[in-house]
Amino acid sequence: MTELKITADDKNMESVNEYIHSCLPDDCQPIILNKIDLAIEEIFVNIAHYAYNPEVGEAWISASFVDNVLTVIFKDKGKEFNPIAKKDPDITLSAEERDIGGLGIFLTKKFMDSVNYEYKDGQNILTIKKKIE
C-alpha cells in the first residue's frame, strides 16, 4: 500500500484523484470510477474544509488494489469528527425541506461497499472499500 502525504487544500484534489486512479486497473468501468471519484472528493474536501479550519493541515491517503478490491484510507490530525455517525438525510424530502449537509457522505456510503471510521492516536481514520469486477 502506497501513501500520499498532501496539504489538505482544494487545489490538491487533482493530485489526490491521480494518485487513486494510479491504483486502479486501466479497464475500470466509468460508472464505477465516477462513484469512486465522488467518494474521494467528498472525503478529501471535508478534510480540507473542516479538519483544521481555520488553519491548513496535512492529509495522508493510502490506497491499494488487491483481489479486485480498492481500499483507500484517509488520515488527518484535525478535529475529531466521525462523518458516518451523522444520521442519513431524508431523501424523500425536497431539497428545500432537508437540512443542509450530509448528502455527500450519504452517497459515499451508498456507492462504496464499506465505509469505516475510527479515531486513534490523535488521528481521524476513514477507510473506504470498493470491489471492482
Side-chain angles (χ1 to χ4, degrees):
M1 187 175 277
T2 62
E3 183 176 80
L4 173 68
K5 179 182 177 184
I6 196 162
T7 302
D9 188 304
D10 289 345
K11 68 182 179 191
N12 290 326
M13 189 70 245
E14 185 176 341
S15 296
V16 173
N17 277 334
E18 288 173 0
Y19 167 68
I20 300 302
H21 289 190
S22 74
C23 297
L24 293 168
D26 293 334
D27 62 349
C28 185
Q29 297 175 5
I31 193 164
I32 299 296
L33 188 57
N34 287 338
K35 290 177 179 181
I36 292 168
D37 286 349
L38 182 139
I40 299 301
E41 181 175 356
E42 172 65 21
I43 296 165
F44 184 73
V45 167
N46 278 346
I47 294 170
H49 288 197
Y50 304 113
Y52 300 100
N53 192 10
E55 304 298 318
V56 175
E58 300 290 325
W60 294 263
I61 306 166
S62 304
S64 66
F65 186 70
V66 177
D67 295 330
N68 292 332
V69 176
L70 173 69
T71 301
V72 182
I73 303 170
F74 292 85
K75 295 180 183 179
D76 70 76
K77 293 182 180 180
K79 299 172 188 126
E80 182 177 356
F81 177 68
N82 181 352
I84 60 177
K86 185 174 180 174
K87 183 180 171 191
D88 289 341
D90 183 350
I91 58 172
T92 64
L93 298 174
S94 69
E96 294 80 25
E97 295 174 303
R98 281 195 305 259
D99 291 335
I100 294 174
L103 193 56
I105 197 65
F106 171 76
L107 291 174
T108 297
K109 292 190 291 186
K110 293 295 179 195
F111 291 163
M112 298 297 105
D113 295 321
S114 71
V115 180
N116 295 298
Y117 170 85
E118 68 177 318
Y119 188 78
K120 184 177 178 184
D121 299 327
Q123 291 185 331
N124 293 292
I125 304 168
L126 188 71
T127 304
I128 61 173
K129 293 185 180 190
K130 180 69 177 171
K131 185 163 182 73
I132 301 172
E133 299 295 335

